[in-house]
Amino acid sequence: PDLLPTCNGEITTMSFLQDVVDILLQYVVKSFDRSTKVIDFHYPNELLQEYNWELADQPQTLEEILLNCRTTLKYAIKTGHPRYFNQLSTGLDMVGLAADWLTSAANTNMFTYEIAPVFVLLEYVTLRKMREMVGWPGGCGDGIFSPGGAISNMYAMLIARFKMFPEVKEKGMAAIPRLVAFTSEHSHFSVKKGAAALGIGTDSVILIRCDERGKMIPSDLERRIVEAKQKGFVPFLVSATAGTTVYGAFDPLIAIADICKKYKIWMHVDGAWGGGLLMSRKHKWKLNGIERANSVTWNPHKMMGVPLQCSALLVREEGLMQSCNQMHASYLFQQDKHYDLSYDTGDKALQCGRHVDVFKLWLMWRAKGTTGFEAQIDKCLELAEYLYNKIKNREGYEMVFDGKPQHTNVCFWYIPPGLRGVEDSEERTSRLMKVAPVIKARMMEYGTTMVSYQPLGDKVNFFRMVISNPAATHQDIDFLIDEIERLGQDL
């Protein structure tokens, strides 16, 4: 009760917030210190019992509140730590952090120019710049920042369906034919999730075969489209992936664009993970053909290291999002305001309340320039190549697919000494399945590093190393390899 807006609360408020900033700064410094743990691991029941997390009727003192802040960060995973490789979004950018603090203090909503004037304009400027980088003339089109790639992909599906059957907005699915969408078997699960949410159904998402590197096979796509049409279904969307989640594969966008044009189907590119490569002159060829897409998902919170969350959906045709989603709520989007209403973007969103996600991206872009992002991205790709070159012929390692990785995903099995002489058999496979989970569990208990693993198709658990943290160096890659060997030598 002593903090602002309490009368004379200024001094208490200043010292409280100063203490919070001190806690945060200590955490930031620790995040980059390789001698600290990435994680102080406890099992859920231990953590629940060790502290009192319950909510009470009576207020706590500010000292206790600061203690809560410290405890929370003590057990937080240091996602900015140079040895945290667990997810596609890693790193901790100082300018992005500053922007996030500012956004929280401004505490506004992305409805209208009326209540978020600067933020609405920055969203307009930033999305136009991103569309320019996709290759749409003059950055034409539309777009929105959404709560993540899964929602961006769902927006694309929603808009593609509306474009083909505008009556679906009022009449619902009963008024239109049975729709089908196509995506690769390595694509993100959000395509199916979006189909479920939109009432299209997961059975209506047809998975297209991939080659051994995880890229969609265009001839299989065309075959399945023809097949679906023969059954009387209506193909309405193809979702190509630029940077798959596990292999980091880039679908052949030009060939896919040709097929979409031939059959008049909406082409979406899920570049949530690989979109950042558009910033790099050296690597953007991997997305050749993206300029022919009708919509693109691009998550700056992944490869570009913007703090979570920051995901953009870009749409080539202007006005489509608005007509698809608008509900003309007269208490927000009054038509008789005294400024240009085209800046009231809230009615094209699915959400009503929408967080300001643009400021951290815009401020980082100002601080780094496009060339700064390019250098950061090129460095991550160089580190992935370094890891690949180091383990491809190393004893105890087997690559999941041949050839150097296209993105920063490096997929491999570690074969412990006890498995190296074993003939390929069911017994070997079932033993190999258990190796990665045990090493991962030990990594977390020691707190030294974190790297992801998963099975895929007929392949048993393998490590998937991803690099998007600008703080990582060659030494951190060396450390990871040594650590895997140290933790797996007795298996």
Side-chain angles (χ1 to χ4, degrees):
D2 311 328
L3 301 178
L4 284 172
T6 307
C7 185
N8 301 330
E10 293 88 341
I11 292 169
T12 322
T13 301
M14 291 294 279
S15 74
F16 171 69
L17 289 178
Q18 199 64 60
D19 287 344
V20 172
V21 170
D22 288 345
I23 291 170
L24 292 172
L25 292 178
Q26 283 167 25
Y27 180 77
V28 167
V29 171
K30 266 191 183 157
S31 283
F32 298 108
D33 178 356
R34 287 175 174 77
S35 68
T36 63
K37 290 180 169 192
V38 175
I39 168 182
D40 182 355
F41 181 77
H42 286 61
Y43 288 96
N45 56 336
E46 292 176 349
L47 207 47
L48 267 177
Q49 284 156 18
E50 200 165 320
Y51 295 92
N52 175 20
W53 305 99
E54 296 307 317
L55 297 163
D57 293 340
Q58 297 309 313
Q60 287 195 304
T61 65
L62 288 180
E63 280 68 43
E64 289 170 307
I65 296 302
L66 289 168
L67 195 61
N68 294 156
C69 293
R70 284 196 185 90
T71 305
T72 302
L73 283 182
K74 175 172 160 57
Y75 297 109
I77 314 291
K78 295 194 190 78
T79 55
H81 196 291
R83 291 174 181 165
Y84 173 81
F85 303 109
N86 206 64
Q87 249 61 40
L88 302 183
S89 47
T90 62
L92 181 56
D93 186 274
M94 295 305 111
V95 174
L97 180 61
D100 234 351
W101 289 352
L102 188 143
T103 302
S104 293
N107 191 32
T108 189
N109 212 317
M110 288 297 278
F111 301 130
T112 55
Y113 181 82
E114 179 181 326
I115 64 159
V118 180
F119 296 133
V120 162
L121 295 181
L122 296 184
E123 186 165 77
Y124 169 78
V125 168
T126 307
L127 288 169
R128 189 182 61 200
K129 177 76 172 172
M130 292 172 84
R131 290 192 297 268
E132 233 170 73
M133 300 189 84
V134 165
W136 296 334
C140 68
D142 208 339
I144 198 161
F145 283 97
S146 91
I151 304 295
S152 292
N153 288 342
M154 189 168 85
Y155 266 117
M157 215 171 236
L158 184 72
I159 297 161
R161 177 176 71 177
F162 176 81
K163 173 73 177 167
M164 195 176 264
F165 296 103
E167 63 272 28
V168 73
K169 183 175 173 182
E170 286 82 19
K171 305 270 183 294
M173 289 296 279
I176 64 171
R178 168 86 188 269
L179 302 178
V180 284
F182 304 85
T183 190
S184 91
E185 56 189 2
H186 283 208
S187 69
H188 195 258
F189 68 85
S190 58
V191 179
K192 280 195 164 180
K193 191 169 263 209
L198 296 175
I200 293 162
T202 55
D203 287 354
S204 303
V205 177
I206 295 170
L207 298 182
I208 307 304
R209 290 220 319 275
C210 291
D211 65 16
E212 66 286 347
R213 294 288 309 256
K215 298 166 183 286
M216 189 195 288
I217 300 170
S219 58
D220 193 52
L221 172 64
E222 184 159 23
R223 182 179 71 80
R224 300 301 296 270
I225 289 171
V226 170
E227 211 174 79
K229 287 170 81 97
Q230 284 166 350
K231 289 181 181 162
F233 301 150
V234 178
F236 82 108
L237 171 123
V238 173
S239 180
T241 314
T244 57
T245 312
V246 180
Y247 280 10
F250 289 81
D251 286 344
L253 302 181
I254 295 172
I256 292 168
D258 289 343
I259 293 168
C260 288
K261 186 180 171 186
K262 179 174 172 183
Y263 295 98
K264 298 186 174 58
I265 304 174
W266 183 283
M267 176 181 173
H268 174 62
V269 175
D270 175 2
W273 174 221
L277 268 53
L278 291 168
M279 311 290 279
S280 163
R281 284 166 294 195
K282 187 177 172 186
H283 295 287
K284 68 177 181 193
W285 62 270
K286 296 166 188 177
L287 296 106
N288 283 351
I290 194 170
E291 69 287 347
R292 295 175 60 190
N294 298 93
S295 57
V296 173
T297 292
W298 175 357
N299 287 8
H301 70 221
K302 292 195 169 89
M303 201 61 214
M304 289 161 67
V306 177
L308 286 159
Q309 54 200 23
C310 187
S311 170
L313 174 78
L314 310 169
V315 183
R316 197 182 356 168
E317 185 183 322
E318 204 176 340
L320 204 54
M321 291 191 82
Q322 189 77 3
S323 34
C324 176
N325 294 326
Q326 69 184 358
M327 290 293 155
H328 303 289
S330 56
Y331 48 83
L332 267 183
F333 308 114
Q334 304 88 340
Q335 296 306 296
D336 46 9
K337 292 181 178 179
H338 64 300
Y339 60 81
D340 178 352
L341 293 175
S342 70
Y343 293 106
D344 284 3
T345 50
D347 213 9
K348 66 185 179 195
L350 275 181
Q351 300 166 264
C352 174
R354 190 160 64 90
H355 188 258
V356 176
D357 289 331
V358 68
F359 189 62
K360 48 202 168 185
L361 170 58
W362 179 83
L363 202 65
M364 281 173 67
W365 209 323
R366 295 280 286 202
K368 290 177 198 287
T370 307
T371 55
F373 276 124
E374 176 179 50
Q376 185 176 311
I377 286 163
D378 287 355
K379 181 191 162 191
C380 288
L381 280 132
E382 188 276 316
L383 282 177
E385 202 173 328
Y386 172 79
L387 170 62
Y388 167 72
N389 287 331
K390 200 165 158 148
I391 63 175
K392 64 179 177 188
N393 300 317
R394 188 182 176 98
E395 194 191 359
Y397 291 84
E398 265 176 44
M399 303 311 296
V400 174
F401 55 81
D402 288 330
K404 79 172 199 190
Q406 274 220 296
H407 205 358
T408 69
N409 308 50
V410 184
C411 298
F412 61 91
W413 287 283
Y414 174 65
I415 318 290
L419 259 183
R420 279 176 209 170
V422 180
E423 285 296 300
D424 205 5
S425 62
E426 256 182 50
E427 191 221 347
R428 182 184 187 270
T429 306
S430 74
R431 280 174 64 188
L432 185 56
M433 180 83 178
K434 298 182 183 115
V435 172
V438 171
I439 293 177
K440 171 71 178 266
R442 291 174 178 179
M443 277 178 183
M444 289 178 71
E445 283 169 6
Y446 280 107
T448 46
T449 182
M450 282 175 75
V451 60
S452 193
Y453 72 82
Q454 67 282 300
L456 185 70
D458 58 354
K459 296 176 166 58
V460 297
N461 283 327
F462 55 88
F463 284 113
R464 175 201 60 166
M465 173 69 174
V466 281
I467 303 162
S468 61
N469 188 346
T473 62
H474 292 116
Q475 288 85 345
D476 297 311
I477 305 295
D478 297 343
F479 175 86
L480 177 83
I481 294 169
D482 291 344
E483 195 62 358
I484 286 173
E485 292 171 1
R486 177 179 84 88
L487 297 172
Q489 62 188 355
D490 62 331
L491 298 178

